[in-house]
Amino acid sequence: MVFDIYTLVEVTWILFPIYAANGLTPVMMRFLKGHPIDNGRMLGKNRLLGDGKSWEGLFFGTFMGIVIAVVEMLAFPYLPWDLSPVALSIIIMTPLVGFLLGFGAMMGDVVASFFKRRMNRQRGALVPLLDQLDFLAGAFLMLSLVVVVEWGWIILGTIITLVFHVIANVIAFKIGVKKTPW
Ligand code: CTP
Ligand code: MG
């Protein structure tokens, strides 16, 4: 079953480090001038990756993934797992798992930018689905190196991420942080 509360708990546990990596990096990079990963290099008539992909962002996002995974690792013994009538497949958080989730998220995002530039979309141009799911795909791919990733997590994680994205943008629009509700 995918649409049950158990899968929801299992996937939320995995999403925290991923969202921290992907969501906090743009906030952090507002205060920093990053060094572009592509070093300004071109491929054809477009940038290889663009100024939106910096070493600082890659490093910070990966680091945030590790930090949140360690917080979960330390919190694990104190959480009320016995409330669940069935045994949950909660993945064991370690700094390595945090690294894989954070780095995977950031690399998924880098790969997406590579393809966006090849499609002649410049920095910041919206490509629906790719923009919202690149980091999730990258994180799950890296996680699969050390954990058997369940399809339910991927399906529910995708749905949650898309819904979360819509809600977050509408709120950002209403409070005036964004000019458009998408
Ligand atoms: N960012 C960064 N380095 C990364 C990833 C993100 O510095 N490796 C920062 C950049 O300031 C970027 C912002 O986070 O502008 C938002 O990330 P994203 O939406 O992925 O980048 P875009 O600017 O939209 O560029 P692209 O079109 O390449 O996705
Ligand atoms: Mg973008």
Coordinates of all heavy atoms in Angstrom, one line a residue, residues 61-97:
G61 N 24.3 22.7 0.6 CA 23.1 21.7 0.5 C 23.5 20.4 1.0 O 22.7 19.7 1.8
T62 N 24.7 19.9 0.6 CA 25.1 18.6 1.1 C 25.3 18.6 2.6 O 24.9 17.7 3.3 CB 26.5 18.2 0.4 OG1 26.3 18.3 -1.0 CG2 26.9 16.8 0.8
F63 N 25.9 19.7 3.1 CA 26.1 19.8 4.5 C 24.7 19.8 5.3 O 24.6 19.2 6.3 CB 26.9 21.1 4.8 CG 27.2 21.3 6.2 CD1 28.1 20.5 6.9 CD2 26.6 22.4 6.9 CE1 28.3 20.7 8.2 CE2 26.9 22.6 8.3 CZ 27.7 21.8 8.9
M64 N 23.8 20.5 4.7 CA 22.4 20.6 5.4 C 21.8 19.2 5.4 O 21.1 18.8 6.4 CB 21.5 21.6 4.7 CG 21.8 23.0 4.9 SD 22.2 23.4 6.7 CE 20.7 23.0 7.5
G65 N 22.0 18.4 4.4 CA 21.5 17.0 4.4 C 22.1 16.2 5.5 O 21.4 15.5 6.2
I66 N 23.4 16.4 5.7 CA 24.1 15.7 6.8 C 23.6 16.2 8.2 O 23.3 15.3 9.0 CB 25.6 15.9 6.7 CG1 26.1 15.3 5.4 CG2 26.3 15.2 7.9 CD1 27.6 15.6 5.1
V67 N 23.4 17.5 8.3 CA 23.0 18.0 9.6 C 21.6 17.5 10.0 O 21.4 17.0 11.1 CB 23.0 19.6 9.5 CG1 22.2 20.1 10.8 CG2 24.4 20.2 9.5
I68 N 20.7 17.5 9.1 CA 19.3 17.0 9.4 C 19.3 15.5 9.6 O 18.6 15.1 10.5 CB 18.3 17.4 8.3 CG1 18.3 19.0 8.2 CG2 16.9 16.9 8.6 CD1 17.9 19.7 9.4
A69 N 20.1 14.8 8.9 CA 20.2 13.3 9.1 C 20.7 13.0 10.5 O 20.2 12.1 11.2 CB 21.0 12.7 8.0
V70 N 21.7 13.8 10.9 CA 22.3 13.6 12.3 C 21.3 14.0 13.3 O 21.1 13.3 14.4 CB 23.6 14.4 12.4 CG1 24.1 14.4 13.9 CG2 24.7 13.8 11.5
V71 N 20.5 15.0 13.1 CA 19.4 15.4 14.1 C 18.4 14.2 14.2 O 18.0 13.9 15.3 CB 18.7 16.7 13.6 CG1 17.4 16.9 14.4 CG2 19.6 17.9 13.7
E72 N 18.1 13.7 13.0 CA 17.1 12.5 13.1 C 17.7 11.3 13.8 O 17.1 10.6 14.5 CB 16.7 12.2 11.6 CG 15.8 13.2 11.0 CD 15.2 12.8 9.6 OE1 15.9 12.1 8.9 OE2 14.1 13.1 9.4
M73 N 19.0 11.1 13.5 CA 19.7 10.0 14.1 C 19.7 10.1 15.6 O 19.4 9.1 16.4 CB 21.2 10.0 13.6 CG 22.0 8.9 14.2 SD 23.7 9.0 13.5 CE 24.4 10.2 14.6
L74 N 19.9 11.3 16.1 CA 20.0 11.6 17.6 C 18.6 11.5 18.2 O 18.4 11.1 19.3 CB 20.6 12.9 17.9 CG 22.1 13.0 17.4 CD1 22.6 14.4 17.7 CD2 23.0 12.0 18.2
A75 N 17.5 11.9 17.4 CA 16.2 12.0 17.9 C 15.5 10.6 17.9 O 14.6 10.4 18.7 CB 15.3 13.0 17.0
F76 N 16.0 9.7 17.0 CA 15.4 8.4 16.8 C 14.9 7.7 18.1 O 13.8 7.2 18.2 CB 16.3 7.6 15.9 CG 15.6 6.2 15.5 CD1 14.8 6.1 14.4 CD2 15.9 5.1 16.3 CE1 14.2 4.9 14.1 CE2 15.2 3.9 16.0 CZ 14.4 3.8 14.9
P77 N 15.8 7.5 19.1 CA 15.5 6.8 20.3 C 14.3 7.4 21.1 O 13.7 6.7 21.9 CB 16.8 6.8 21.1 CG 17.9 7.2 20.2 CD 17.2 8.0 19.1
Y78 N 14.1 8.7 20.9 CA 13.1 9.4 21.7 C 11.8 9.5 21.0 O 10.8 10.1 21.6 CB 13.6 10.8 22.1 CG 15.0 10.7 22.7 CD1 16.1 11.0 22.0 CD2 15.1 10.3 24.1 CE1 17.4 10.9 22.6 CE2 16.3 10.2 24.7 CZ 17.5 10.5 23.9 OH 18.7 10.4 24.5
L79 N 11.6 9.1 19.8 CA 10.4 9.2 19.0 C 9.4 8.1 19.3 O 9.9 6.9 19.6 CB 10.7 9.4 17.5 CG 11.5 10.6 17.2 CD1 11.9 10.7 15.8 CD2 10.6 11.9 17.5
P80 N 8.1 8.3 19.3 CA 7.1 7.3 19.8 C 6.8 6.3 18.7 O 5.6 6.2 18.3 CB 5.9 8.2 20.1 CG 6.0 9.4 19.1 CD 7.5 9.6 18.9
W81 N 7.8 5.5 18.3 CA 7.6 4.5 17.2 C 6.6 3.5 17.6 O 5.9 2.9 16.8 CB 8.9 3.9 16.8 CG 9.9 4.8 16.4 CD1 11.1 5.1 17.0 CD2 9.9 5.7 15.2 NE1 11.8 6.1 16.3 CE2 11.1 6.5 15.2 CE3 9.0 5.9 14.2 CZ2 11.4 7.4 14.2 CZ3 9.3 6.8 13.2 CH2 10.5 7.5 13.2
D82 N 6.4 3.2 18.9 CA 5.6 2.1 19.4 C 4.1 2.5 19.2 O 3.2 1.7 19.5 CB 5.9 1.7 20.8 CG 6.0 2.9 21.8 OD1 5.8 4.0 21.3 OD2 6.2 2.6 23.0
L83 N 3.8 3.8 18.8 CA 2.4 4.1 18.5 C 1.9 3.4 17.3 O 0.7 3.2 17.1 CB 2.3 5.6 18.2 CG 2.4 6.6 19.4 CD1 2.3 8.0 18.9 CD2 1.3 6.3 20.4
S84 N 2.8 2.9 16.5 CA 2.4 2.3 15.2 C 2.2 0.8 15.5 O 3.0 0.1 16.1 CB 3.6 2.4 14.2 OG 3.3 1.6 13.1
P85 N 1.0 0.3 15.1 CA 0.6 -1.1 15.3 C 1.4 -2.0 14.4 O 1.5 -3.2 14.6 CB -0.9 -1.1 14.9 CG -1.1 0.0 14.1 CD -0.1 1.1 14.4
V86 N 2.0 -1.5 13.3 CA 2.9 -2.3 12.4 C 4.3 -1.8 12.5 O 4.6 -0.7 12.8 CB 2.4 -2.3 11.0 CG1 0.9 -2.7 10.9 CG2 2.6 -0.9 10.3
A87 N 5.2 -2.7 12.2 CA 6.6 -2.4 12.2 C 6.9 -1.4 11.0 O 6.6 -1.8 9.8 CB 7.5 -3.6 12.1
L88 N 7.5 -0.3 11.2 CA 7.8 0.7 10.2 C 9.1 0.4 9.6 O 10.0 0.0 10.3 CB 7.7 2.1 10.7 CG 6.4 2.6 11.3 CD1 6.5 4.0 11.9 CD2 5.3 2.6 10.2
S89 N 9.3 0.6 8.3 CA 10.6 0.5 7.6 C 11.2 1.9 7.7 O 11.4 2.6 6.6 CB 10.5 0.1 6.2 OG 9.6 -0.9 6.0
I90 N 11.6 2.4 8.9 CA 12.3 3.7 9.0 C 13.8 3.4 8.7 O 14.4 2.6 9.4 CB 12.1 4.2 10.4 CG1 10.6 4.5 10.7 CG2 12.9 5.5 10.6 CD1 10.0 5.5 9.9
I91 N 14.3 4.2 7.8 CA 15.7 3.9 7.5 C 16.6 4.5 8.6 O 16.3 5.5 9.2 CB 16.1 4.5 6.1 CG1 16.1 6.0 6.0 CG2 15.3 3.9 5.0 CD1 16.8 6.6 4.8
I92 N 17.7 3.8 8.8 CA 18.6 4.2 9.9 C 19.4 5.4 9.4 O 20.1 5.3 8.4 CB 19.6 3.1 10.2 CG1 18.9 1.8 10.4 CG2 20.5 3.5 11.4 CD1 18.5 1.4 11.8
M93 N 19.3 6.6 10.0 CA 20.0 7.7 9.6 C 21.4 7.7 10.2 O 21.7 7.4 11.3 CB 19.3 9.0 10.1 CG 18.1 9.4 9.3 SD 18.5 9.8 7.6 CE 16.8 9.8 6.9
T94 N 22.4 8.0 9.3 CA 23.8 8.1 9.6 C 24.3 9.4 8.9 O 23.6 9.8 7.9 CB 24.6 6.9 9.2 OG1 24.5 6.8 7.7 CG2 24.0 5.6 9.8
P95 N 25.5 9.9 9.2 CA 26.0 10.9 8.4 C 26.2 10.6 7.0 O 26.0 11.4 6.1 CB 27.4 11.2 9.1 CG 27.2 10.8 10.5 CD 26.3 9.6 10.5
L96 N 26.5 9.3 6.7 CA 26.6 8.9 5.3 C 25.3 8.9 4.6 O 25.3 9.4 3.4 CB 27.2 7.4 5.2 CG 27.2 6.8 3.8 CD1 28.2 7.5 2.9 CD2 27.5 5.3 3.8
V97 N 24.2 8.5 5.2 CA 22.9 8.6 4.6 C 22.6 10.1 4.3 O 22.0 10.4 3.2 CB 21.8 7.9 5.4 CG1 20.4 8.2 4.9 CG2 22.0 6.4 5.4

